[in-house]
Amino acid sequence: MSVAEPRRIALFRHAKADWPQVSDHERPLAERGRMDAAVAGRRLTGSGLGFDLALCSTATRTRETWKLAVHELDHRPKTVYEERVYEASPGQLIALLNEVPDDVGTLILIGHNPGVHGLAEILAGSADEDARDRMNRRGFPAAAFAVLSFEGSWKGLEPGVARLTDYWAPSE
């Protein structure tokens, strides 16, 4: 892929997690989360995005979310389980995305709040007004995702260079 072609990134927050007596990293999805993850996968398919790469936190709830969502996609992308996504700040997520090879055109990151929501806000220098209004109104609840596009290399991804093109949350 040429660096002149627009790149797209979907920022996907894990679905609703349960609160059993386990470490935060090992928390599984709640029943509602399992349903919402599959619905989000169907919505991602409907958006027409074909992912080249998925970067997924190693936490149980993100891995379960991705397993249920990817089952709904037309194409299963290469998936990398990346421990640096867990508890990452927006700046740490940008640094991770700067490492993505330029042959990746469309990427999905499955992670956690507040990092994922903060990253969407920081990257979006411009936006489809409807998508921005919905994200501002809803925040970034469990199983929500935002889609952004930008031009250039992944190494050049920085605050304000992307456009928010889509946003979805359960019960939309």
Side-chain angles (χ1 to χ4, degrees):
M1 164 166 215
S2 143
V3 293
E5 295 178 59
R7 298 183 191 289
R8 293 181 296 176
I9 180 170
L11 303 174
F12 184 18
R13 181 180 176 196
H14 66 79
K16 175 89 173 139
D18 204 353
W19 290 92
Q21 295 294 329
V22 296
S23 72
D24 182 69
H25 190 271
E26 301 308 315
R27 288 176 47 217
L29 290 181
E31 182 60 35
R32 189 183 108 210
R34 288 189 285 279
M35 291 185 299
D36 288 348
V39 171
R42 288 191 291 278
R43 178 60 173 81
L44 284 163
T45 295
S47 72
L49 295 172
F51 300 107
D52 300 316
L53 178 65
L55 292 177
C56 185
S57 164
T58 56
T60 300
R61 60 192 177 275
T62 51
R63 289 183 289 118
E64 289 179 354
T65 297
W66 182 233
K67 181 180 178 183
L68 293 164
V70 76
H71 182 72
E72 301 294 331
L73 301 181
D74 294 331
H75 163 74
R76 181 181 295 262
K78 175 183 177 185
T79 299
V80 175
Y81 295 96
E82 175 57 64
E83 63 187 28
R84 293 178 291 170
V85 175
Y86 180 68
E87 295 187 334
S89 69
Q92 291 167 321
L93 292 171
I94 289 172
L96 178 63
L97 293 170
N98 289 157
E99 297 174 13
V100 172
D102 280 333
D103 63 344
V104 173
T106 304
L107 177 143
I108 185 165
L109 183 136
I110 308 93
H112 310 266
N113 263 0
V116 171
H117 186 195
L119 181 60
E121 289 180 332
I122 288 168
L123 290 178
S126 64
D128 171 272
E129 287 307 312
D130 181 56
R132 187 183 303 274
D133 289 346
R134 285 183 288 129
M135 190 169 83
N136 287 342
R137 188 175 58 250
R138 296 287 319 275
F140 224 92
F145 66 82
V147 179
L148 299 106
S149 66
F150 70 99
E151 294 187 12
S153 168
W154 289 101
K155 288 176 182 52
L157 183 64
E158 60 184 37
V161 302
R163 177 174 179 76
L164 176 68
T165 60
D166 195 9
Y167 169 83
W168 179 85
S171 74
E172 280 252 316

